[in-house]
Tab-separated table of all heavy atoms in Angstrom:
chain	number	residue	atom	x	y	z
A	152	VAL	N	148.937	117.491	111.229
A	152	VAL	CA	149.227	116.840	112.498
A	152	VAL	C	150.777	116.953	112.784
A	152	VAL	O	151.167	117.293	113.923
A	152	VAL	CB	148.756	115.361	112.551
A	152	VAL	CG1	149.197	114.671	113.849
A	152	VAL	CG2	147.240	115.328	112.410
A	153	PHE	N	151.598	116.652	111.780
A	153	PHE	CA	153.020	116.623	111.993
A	153	PHE	C	153.541	118.077	112.314
A	153	PHE	O	154.293	118.272	113.279
A	153	PHE	CB	153.763	116.078	110.825
A	153	PHE	CG	155.228	115.970	111.070
A	153	PHE	CD1	155.752	114.992	111.891
A	153	PHE	CD2	156.128	116.875	110.473
A	153	PHE	CE1	157.157	114.927	112.108
A	153	PHE	CE2	157.486	116.867	110.740
A	153	PHE	CZ	157.973	115.856	111.549
A	154	THR	N	153.089	119.017	111.525
A	154	THR	CA	153.493	120.427	111.740
A	154	THR	C	153.055	120.874	113.125
A	154	THR	O	153.818	121.544	113.835
A	154	THR	CB	152.932	121.316	110.683
A	154	THR	OG1	153.124	120.735	109.393
A	154	THR	CG2	153.580	122.744	110.732
A	155	ALA	N	151.814	120.546	113.505
A	155	ALA	CA	151.316	120.911	114.814
A	155	ALA	C	152.202	120.304	115.905
A	155	ALA	O	152.494	120.976	116.902
A	155	ALA	CB	149.882	120.428	114.991
A	156	SER	N	152.667	119.096	115.733
A	156	SER	CA	153.493	118.448	116.715
A	156	SER	C	154.902	119.130	116.851
A	156	SER	O	155.456	119.172	117.928
A	156	SER	CB	153.666	116.951	116.413
A	156	SER	OG	152.414	116.420	116.176
A	157	VAL	N	155.397	119.631	115.720
A	157	VAL	CA	156.650	120.349	115.759
A	157	VAL	C	156.469	121.661	116.580
A	157	VAL	O	157.262	121.976	117.453
A	157	VAL	CB	157.147	120.696	114.330
A	157	VAL	CG1	158.393	121.601	114.340
A	157	VAL	CG2	157.515	119.390	113.585
A	158	TRP	N	155.322	122.353	116.317
A	158	TRP	CA	155.018	123.561	117.111
A	158	TRP	C	154.887	123.201	118.569
A	158	TRP	O	155.241	123.995	119.497
A	158	TRP	CB	153.768	124.234	116.572
A	158	TRP	CG	153.917	124.977	115.348
A	158	TRP	CD1	153.265	124.778	114.143
A	158	TRP	CD2	154.764	126.116	115.080
A	158	TRP	NE1	153.654	125.689	113.215
A	158	TRP	CE2	154.567	126.542	113.716
A	158	TRP	CE3	155.674	126.837	115.831
A	158	TRP	CZ2	155.231	127.647	113.179
A	158	TRP	CZ3	156.397	127.893	115.278
A	158	TRP	CH2	156.152	128.276	113.935
A	159	LEU	N	154.320	122.044	118.869
A	159	LEU	CA	154.123	121.619	120.281
A	159	LEU	C	155.512	121.474	120.930
A	159	LEU	O	155.736	121.930	122.089
A	159	LEU	CB	153.373	120.285	120.375
A	159	LEU	CG	153.273	119.655	121.755
A	159	LEU	CD1	152.504	120.538	122.709
A	159	LEU	CD2	152.632	118.261	121.714
A	160	LEU	N	156.447	120.900	120.207
A	160	LEU	CA	157.778	120.674	120.808
A	160	LEU	C	158.418	122.090	121.049
A	160	LEU	O	159.069	122.317	122.089
A	160	LEU	CB	158.703	119.856	119.896
A	160	LEU	CG	160.068	119.516	120.414
A	160	LEU	CD1	159.975	118.747	121.702
A	160	LEU	CD2	160.940	118.822	119.405
A	161	ILE	N	158.242	122.965	120.056
A	161	ILE	CA	158.812	124.349	120.277
A	161	ILE	C	158.201	125.001	121.461
A	161	ILE	O	158.894	125.589	122.300
A	161	ILE	CB	158.576	125.208	118.982
A	161	ILE	CG1	159.373	124.648	117.772
A	161	ILE	CG2	158.933	126.695	119.209
A	161	ILE	CD1	158.999	125.254	116.449
A	162	THR	N	156.855	124.768	121.671
A	162	THR	CA	156.177	125.334	122.839
A	162	THR	C	156.803	124.803	124.158
A	162	THR	O	157.020	125.530	125.080
A	162	THR	CB	154.657	124.983	122.822
A	162	THR	OG1	154.174	125.353	121.519
A	162	THR	CG2	153.861	125.708	123.897
A	163	THR	N	156.954	123.521	124.212
A	163	THR	CA	157.394	122.875	125.474
A	163	THR	C	158.862	123.233	125.741
A	163	THR	O	159.234	123.325	126.907
A	163	THR	CB	157.155	121.394	125.479
A	163	THR	OG1	157.763	120.805	124.269
A	163	THR	CG2	155.643	121.021	125.518
A	164	VAL	N	159.642	123.362	124.674
A	164	VAL	CA	161.037	123.729	124.866
A	164	VAL	C	161.094	125.174	125.404
A	164	VAL	O	161.843	125.486	126.352
A	164	VAL	CB	161.886	123.640	123.541
A	164	VAL	CG1	163.235	124.328	123.655
A	164	VAL	CG2	162.085	122.194	123.147
A	165	ILE	N	160.283	126.089	124.864
A	165	ILE	CA	160.204	127.482	125.362
A	165	ILE	C	159.737	127.458	126.834
A	165	ILE	O	160.290	128.152	127.696
A	165	ILE	CB	159.294	128.334	124.530
A	165	ILE	CG1	159.873	128.543	123.077
A	165	ILE	CG2	159.080	129.742	125.166
A	165	ILE	CD1	158.980	129.237	122.106
A	166	GLY	N	158.765	126.610	127.096
A	166	GLY	CA	158.249	126.484	128.459
A	166	GLY	C	159.388	126.055	129.436
A	166	GLY	O	159.506	126.667	130.514
A	167	LEU	N	160.207	125.144	129.041
A	167	LEU	CA	161.348	124.670	129.867
A	167	LEU	C	162.332	125.858	130.090
A	167	LEU	O	162.805	126.106	131.198
A	167	LEU	CB	162.044	123.489	129.195
A	167	LEU	CG	163.321	122.970	129.905
A	167	LEU	CD1	163.015	122.485	131.348
A	167	LEU	CD2	163.902	121.848	129.076
A	168	LEU	N	162.593	126.561	128.989
A	168	LEU	CA	163.506	127.760	129.123
A	168	LEU	C	162.961	128.805	130.064
A	168	LEU	O	163.709	129.337	130.865
A	168	LEU	CB	163.796	128.376	127.700
A	168	LEU	CG	164.604	127.500	126.741
A	168	LEU	CD1	164.684	128.162	125.365
A	168	LEU	CD2	165.984	127.271	127.242
A	169	LEU	N	161.686	129.036	129.966
A	169	LEU	CA	161.008	130.048	130.806
A	169	LEU	C	161.126	129.633	132.298
A	169	LEU	O	161.395	130.466	133.178
A	169	LEU	CB	159.568	130.255	130.479
A	169	LEU	CG	159.285	130.822	129.042
A	169	LEU	CD1	157.783	131.176	128.905
A	169	LEU	CD2	160.091	132.126	128.853
A	170	LEU	N	160.966	128.360	132.569
A	170	LEU	CA	161.100	127.839	133.948
A	170	LEU	C	162.562	128.018	134.461
A	170	LEU	O	162.723	128.490	135.582
A	170	LEU	CB	160.742	126.331	134.007
A	170	LEU	CG	159.221	126.003	134.170
A	170	LEU	CD1	159.016	124.560	134.058
A	170	LEU	CD2	158.652	126.603	135.473
A	171	CYS	N	163.526	127.653	133.625
A	171	CYS	CA	164.898	127.766	133.993
A	171	CYS	C	165.238	129.271	134.242
A	171	CYS	O	166.012	129.589	135.138
A	171	CYS	CB	165.819	127.202	132.944
A	171	CYS	SG	165.624	125.473	132.750
A	172	ASN	N	164.597	130.108	133.473
A	172	ASN	CA	164.849	131.546	133.562
A	172	ASN	C	164.403	132.167	134.900
A	172	ASN	O	164.809	133.221	135.306
A	172	ASN	CB	164.112	132.292	132.385
A	172	ASN	CG	164.647	133.680	132.120
A	172	ASN	OD1	165.880	133.918	132.206
A	172	ASN	ND2	163.766	134.632	131.907
A	173	PHE	N	163.480	131.411	135.569
A	173	PHE	CA	162.998	131.867	136.898
A	173	PHE	C	164.101	131.783	137.940
A	173	PHE	O	164.193	132.570	138.825
A	173	PHE	CB	161.791	131.059	137.402
A	173	PHE	CG	160.475	131.600	136.900
A	173	PHE	CD1	159.779	130.973	135.913
A	173	PHE	CD2	159.947	132.765	137.432
A	173	PHE	CE1	158.558	131.458	135.401
A	173	PHE	CE2	158.751	133.253	137.020
A	173	PHE	CZ	158.046	132.646	136.005
A	174	THR	N	164.930	130.670	137.828
A	174	THR	CA	165.896	130.446	138.872
A	174	THR	C	167.313	131.029	138.404
A	174	THR	O	168.086	131.488	139.259
A	174	THR	CB	166.060	128.920	139.106
A	174	THR	OG1	166.092	128.224	137.894
A	174	THR	CG2	164.911	128.386	139.985
A	175	GLU	N	167.556	130.910	137.132
A	175	GLU	CA	168.840	131.513	136.627
A	175	GLU	C	168.522	132.316	135.409
A	175	GLU	O	167.812	131.892	134.502
A	175	GLU	CB	169.831	130.400	136.269
A	175	GLU	CG	170.648	129.877	137.454
A	175	GLU	CD	171.567	128.777	136.985
A	175	GLU	OE1	172.484	129.050	136.229
A	175	GLU	OE2	171.341	127.636	137.389
A	176	SER	N	169.089	133.507	135.357
A	176	SER	CA	168.800	134.452	134.268
A	176	SER	C	169.432	133.943	132.961
A	176	SER	O	170.596	134.273	132.698
A	176	SER	CB	169.237	135.831	134.626
A	176	SER	OG	168.681	136.710	133.736
A	177	ILE	N	168.698	133.207	132.134
A	177	ILE	CA	169.351	132.719	130.896
A	177	ILE	C	168.799	133.415	129.677
A	177	ILE	O	169.309	133.303	128.565
A	177	ILE	CB	169.106	131.185	130.750
A	177	ILE	CG1	167.666	130.780	130.807
A	177	ILE	CG2	169.918	130.414	131.771
A	177	ILE	CD1	167.337	129.377	130.345
A	178	LEU	N	167.702	134.168	129.866
A	178	LEU	CA	167.088	134.932	128.728
A	178	LEU	C	167.260	136.412	128.984
A	178	LEU	O	167.380	136.875	130.106
A	178	LEU	CB	165.607	134.566	128.600
A	178	LEU	CG	165.260	133.124	128.290
A	178	LEU	CD1	163.705	132.868	128.431
A	178	LEU	CD2	165.695	132.695	126.932
A	179	PRO	N	167.294	137.234	127.920
A	179	PRO	CA	167.547	138.682	128.060
A	179	PRO	C	166.501	139.357	128.886
A	179	PRO	O	166.809	140.345	129.622
A	179	PRO	CB	167.448	139.212	126.644
A	179	PRO	CG	167.561	138.061	125.712
A	179	PRO	CD	167.107	136.862	126.472
A	180	LYS	N	165.253	138.888	128.912
A	180	LYS	CA	164.215	139.539	129.739
A	180	LYS	C	163.556	138.502	130.712
A	180	LYS	O	163.813	137.278	130.524
A	180	LYS	CB	163.142	140.151	128.805
A	180	LYS	CG	163.655	141.340	128.051
A	180	LYS	CD	162.559	141.999	127.236
A	180	LYS	CE	163.140	143.211	126.488
A	180	LYS	NZ	162.204	143.857	125.616
A	181	ASP	N	162.682	138.947	131.572
A	181	ASP	CA	162.067	138.003	132.530
A	181	ASP	C	161.019	137.137	131.844
A	181	ASP	O	160.609	137.396	130.706
A	181	ASP	CB	161.407	138.797	133.681
A	181	ASP	CG	160.307	139.666	133.266
A	181	ASP	OD1	159.230	139.134	132.851
A	181	ASP	OD2	160.449	140.908	133.296
A	182	SER	N	160.681	136.030	132.469
A	182	SER	CA	159.853	135.011	131.871
A	182	SER	C	158.479	135.511	131.452
A	182	SER	O	157.884	135.102	130.450
A	182	SER	CB	159.734	133.822	132.769
A	182	SER	OG	160.896	133.214	132.908
A	183	LEU	N	157.941	136.484	132.222
A	183	LEU	CA	156.636	136.977	131.966
A	183	LEU	C	156.528	137.639	130.525
A	183	LEU	O	155.587	137.523	129.865
A	183	LEU	CB	156.232	138.023	133.023
A	183	LEU	CG	154.803	138.591	132.956
A	183	LEU	CD1	153.785	137.534	133.048
A	183	LEU	CD2	154.587	139.627	134.104
A	184	HIS	N	157.689	138.232	130.140
A	184	HIS	CA	157.746	138.854	128.828
A	184	HIS	C	157.516	137.900	127.697
A	184	HIS	O	156.935	138.209	126.630
A	184	HIS	CB	159.162	139.508	128.669
A	184	HIS	CG	159.419	140.075	127.299
A	184	HIS	ND1	158.877	141.306	126.877
A	184	HIS	CD2	160.141	139.589	126.230
A	184	HIS	CE1	159.216	141.502	125.641
A	184	HIS	NE2	159.995	140.489	125.235
A	185	TYR	N	158.009	136.666	127.930
A	185	TYR	CA	157.917	135.649	126.819
A	185	TYR	C	156.616	134.807	126.891
A	185	TYR	O	156.423	133.885	126.106
A	185	TYR	CB	159.140	134.729	126.833
A	185	TYR	CG	160.412	135.447	126.651
A	185	TYR	CD1	161.246	135.748	127.772
A	185	TYR	CD2	160.904	135.822	125.370
A	185	TYR	CE1	162.397	136.441	127.634
A	185	TYR	CE2	162.067	136.511	125.227
A	185	TYR	CZ	162.815	136.804	126.338
A	185	TYR	OH	164.012	137.501	126.198
A	186	LEU	N	155.789	135.091	127.919
A	186	LEU	CA	154.628	134.239	128.132
A	186	LEU	C	153.700	134.203	126.958
A	186	LEU	O	153.181	133.132	126.597
A	186	LEU	CB	153.872	134.727	129.378
A	186	LEU	CG	153.015	133.709	130.113
A	186	LEU	CD1	153.853	132.543	130.542
A	186	LEU	CD2	152.288	134.380	131.281
A	187	SER	N	153.475	135.336	126.268
A	187	SER	CA	152.543	135.345	125.152
A	187	SER	C	153.082	134.562	123.973
A	187	SER	O	152.348	133.938	123.214
A	187	SER	CB	152.178	136.807	124.751
A	187	SER	OG	153.313	137.392	124.130
A	188	LEU	N	154.406	134.592	123.872
A	188	LEU	CA	155.077	133.789	122.789
A	188	LEU	C	154.815	132.289	123.043
A	188	LEU	O	154.331	131.582	122.157
A	188	LEU	CB	156.598	134.065	122.731
A	188	LEU	CG	157.335	133.428	121.644
A	188	LEU	CD1	157.081	134.148	120.279
A	188	LEU	CD2	158.873	133.472	121.931
A	189	HIS	N	155.095	131.844	124.251
A	189	HIS	CA	154.936	130.456	124.610
A	189	HIS	C	153.417	130.043	124.480
A	189	HIS	O	153.144	129.021	123.827
A	189	HIS	CB	155.363	130.341	126.126
A	189	HIS	CG	155.006	129.082	126.814
A	189	HIS	ND1	155.480	127.868	126.405
A	189	HIS	CD2	154.177	128.796	127.870
A	189	HIS	CE1	155.059	126.909	127.245
A	189	HIS	NE2	154.233	127.425	128.147
A	190	ALA	N	152.546	130.888	124.925
A	190	ALA	CA	151.107	130.558	124.882
A	190	ALA	C	150.595	130.509	123.439
A	190	ALA	O	149.862	129.590	123.074
A	190	ALA	CB	150.285	131.672	125.628
A	191	HIS	N	150.980	131.476	122.592
A	191	HIS	CA	150.406	131.511	121.242
A	191	HIS	C	150.991	130.494	120.321
A	191	HIS	O	150.242	129.998	119.428
A	191	HIS	CB	150.542	132.935	120.643
A	191	HIS	CG	149.543	133.836	121.232
A	191	HIS	ND1	149.838	134.745	122.239
A	191	HIS	CD2	148.204	133.974	121.042
A	191	HIS	CE1	148.736	135.384	122.578
A	191	HIS	NE2	147.745	134.935	121.894
A	192	ILE	N	152.228	130.082	120.522
A	192	ILE	CA	152.738	128.974	119.723
A	192	ILE	C	151.988	127.747	120.074
A	192	ILE	O	151.600	126.916	119.196
A	192	ILE	CB	154.317	128.776	119.921
A	192	ILE	CG1	155.006	130.060	119.380
A	192	ILE	CG2	154.797	127.596	119.124
A	192	ILE	CD1	156.510	130.037	119.622
A	193	GLY	N	151.740	127.524	121.361
A	193	GLY	CA	150.966	126.388	121.802
A	193	GLY	C	149.561	126.383	121.307
A	193	GLY	O	149.059	125.426	120.791
A	194	ILE	N	148.868	127.561	121.471
A	194	ILE	CA	147.450	127.647	121.113
A	194	ILE	C	147.291	127.513	119.602
A	194	ILE	O	146.445	126.738	119.115
A	194	ILE	CB	146.861	128.955	121.635
A	194	ILE	CG1	146.762	128.896	123.173
A	194	ILE	CG2	145.423	129.181	121.113
A	194	ILE	CD1	146.516	130.245	123.823
A	195	VAL	N	147.983	128.390	118.830
A	195	VAL	CA	147.809	128.436	117.390
A	195	VAL	C	148.552	127.262	116.696
A	195	VAL	O	147.980	126.535	115.915
A	195	VAL	CB	148.219	129.789	116.802
A	195	VAL	CG1	148.040	129.823	115.292
A	195	VAL	CG2	147.387	130.864	117.497
A	196	GLY	N	149.819	127.106	117.058
A	196	GLY	CA	150.636	126.134	116.368
A	196	GLY	C	150.183	124.670	116.661
A	196	GLY	O	150.087	123.850	115.785
A	197	TRP	N	149.971	124.387	117.920
A	197	TRP	CA	149.594	123.045	118.336
A	197	TRP	C	148.098	122.782	118.236
A	197	TRP	O	147.628	122.052	117.403
A	197	TRP	CB	150.158	122.724	119.741
A	197	TRP	CG	149.659	121.504	120.444
A	197	TRP	CD1	149.111	121.465	121.678
A	197	TRP	CD2	149.691	120.113	119.971
A	197	TRP	NE1	148.833	120.154	122.048
A	197	TRP	CE2	149.158	119.329	120.990
A	197	TRP	CE3	150.119	119.500	118.776
A	197	TRP	CZ2	149.037	117.900	120.923
A	197	TRP	CZ3	149.994	118.178	118.677
A	197	TRP	CH2	149.436	117.359	119.713
A	198	PHE	N	147.324	123.485	119.046
A	198	PHE	CA	145.876	123.178	119.164
A	198	PHE	C	145.135	123.487	117.889
A	198	PHE	O	144.397	122.671	117.348
A	198	PHE	CB	145.264	123.832	120.363
A	198	PHE	CG	145.696	123.191	121.692
A	198	PHE	CD1	146.367	123.961	122.668
A	198	PHE	CD2	145.439	121.879	121.990
A	198	PHE	CE1	146.771	123.348	123.880
A	198	PHE	CE2	145.774	121.323	123.167
A	198	PHE	CZ	146.466	122.043	124.161
A	199	LEU	N	145.321	124.771	117.414
A	199	LEU	CA	144.474	125.169	116.263
A	199	LEU	C	144.801	124.378	115.015
A	199	LEU	O	143.916	123.867	114.316
A	199	LEU	CB	144.674	126.675	116.014
A	199	LEU	CG	143.819	127.245	114.905
A	199	LEU	CD1	142.375	127.106	115.225
A	199	LEU	CD2	144.162	128.712	114.609
A	200	LEU	N	146.094	124.204	114.731
A	200	LEU	CA	146.538	123.498	113.525
A	200	LEU	C	146.008	122.040	113.631
A	200	LEU	O	145.552	121.462	112.638
A	200	LEU	CB	148.059	123.557	113.423
A	200	LEU	CG	148.597	123.518	112.021
A	200	LEU	CD1	148.020	124.554	111.105
A	200	LEU	CD2	150.168	123.638	112.069
A	201	LEU	N	146.173	121.480	114.777
A	201	LEU	CA	145.762	120.063	114.919
A	201	LEU	C	144.251	119.873	114.854
A	201	LEU	O	143.779	118.980	114.181
A	201	LEU	CB	146.276	119.520	116.288
A	201	LEU	CG	146.183	118.011	116.270
A	201	LEU	CD1	147.560	117.390	116.517
A	201	LEU	CD2	145.210	117.495	117.244
A	202	VAL	N	143.524	120.748	115.521
A	202	VAL	CA	142.073	120.634	115.447
A	202	VAL	C	141.523	120.834	114.038
A	202	VAL	O	140.669	120.046	113.614
A	202	VAL	CB	141.384	121.670	116.442
A	202	VAL	CG1	139.942	121.865	116.145
A	202	VAL	CG2	141.669	121.312	117.874
A	203	ILE	N	142.132	121.754	113.285
A	203	ILE	CA	141.703	121.935	111.920
A	203	ILE	C	142.117	120.677	111.047
A	203	ILE	O	141.302	120.147	110.289
A	203	ILE	CB	142.318	123.218	111.267
A	203	ILE	CG1	141.762	124.420	111.965
A	203	ILE	CG2	142.000	123.265	109.769
A	203	ILE	CD1	142.375	125.761	111.513
A	204	GLY	N	143.343	120.208	111.283
A	204	GLY	CA	143.781	119.068	110.509
A	204	GLY	C	142.977	117.762	110.714
A	204	GLY	O	142.602	117.091	109.747
A	205	VAL	N	142.696	117.502	111.932
A	205	VAL	CA	141.955	116.296	112.300
A	205	VAL	C	140.449	116.533	112.085
A	205	VAL	O	139.739	115.670	111.576
A	205	VAL	CB	142.282	115.842	113.753
A	205	VAL	CG1	141.387	114.692	114.151
A	205	VAL	CG2	143.734	115.472	113.825
A	206	GLY	N	140.008	117.739	112.496
A	206	GLY	CA	138.524	117.993	112.359
A	206	GLY	C	138.098	118.000	110.887
A	206	GLY	O	136.996	117.517	110.579
A	207	SER	N	138.947	118.454	109.970
A	207	SER	CA	138.543	118.471	108.559
A	207	SER	C	138.436	117.088	108.007
A	207	SER	O	137.886	116.855	106.943
A	207	SER	CB	139.560	119.279	107.759
A	207	SER	OG	140.860	118.712	107.891
A	208	ARG	N	139.020	116.091	108.722
A	208	ARG	CA	138.835	114.656	108.271
A	208	ARG	C	137.667	114.038	108.988
A	208	ARG	O	136.861	113.346	108.410
A	208	ARG	CB	140.114	113.913	108.621
A	208	ARG	CG	140.158	112.454	108.337
A	208	ARG	CD	140.135	112.142	106.860
A	208	ARG	NE	138.842	111.690	106.438
A	208	ARG	CZ	138.362	111.709	105.211
A	208	ARG	NH1	139.122	112.171	104.208
A	208	ARG	NH2	137.172	111.260	104.931
A	209	LEU	N	137.580	114.304	110.339
A	209	LEU	CA	136.568	113.609	111.151
A	209	LEU	C	135.163	114.151	110.926
A	209	LEU	O	134.162	113.414	110.910
A	209	LEU	CB	136.918	113.714	112.634
A	209	LEU	CG	138.074	112.850	113.069
A	209	LEU	CD1	138.198	112.890	114.606
A	209	LEU	CD2	137.991	111.436	112.639
A	210	ILE	N	135.041	115.502	110.878
A	210	ILE	CA	133.678	116.076	110.795
A	210	ILE	C	132.897	115.560	109.527
A	210	ILE	O	131.836	115.081	109.624
A	210	ILE	CB	133.660	117.596	110.942
A	210	ILE	CG1	134.071	117.939	112.404
A	210	ILE	CG2	132.358	118.274	110.566
A	210	ILE	CD1	134.280	119.395	112.679
Side-chain angles (χ1 to χ4, degrees):
Chain A
V152 174
F153 184 74
T154 313
S156 308
V157 173
W158 284 121
L159 173 63
L160 183 62
I161 295 170
T162 310
T163 54
V164 167
I165 294 174
L167 175 61
L168 291 175
L169 296 187
L170 275 176
C171 295
N172 198 42
F173 271 107
T174 47
E175 275 180 66
S176 191
I177 56 168
L178 298 171
K180 290 185 179 175
D181 63 69
S182 293
L183 186 58
H184 174 77
Y185 301 98
L186 204 59
S187 69
L188 185 74
H189 170 62
H191 284 100
I192 295 176
I194 291 165
V195 179
W197 168 233
F198 288 120
L199 183 63
L200 209 55
L201 195 123
V202 165
I203 294 176
V205 174
S207 57
R208 179 67 257 162
L209 289 188
I210 289 174

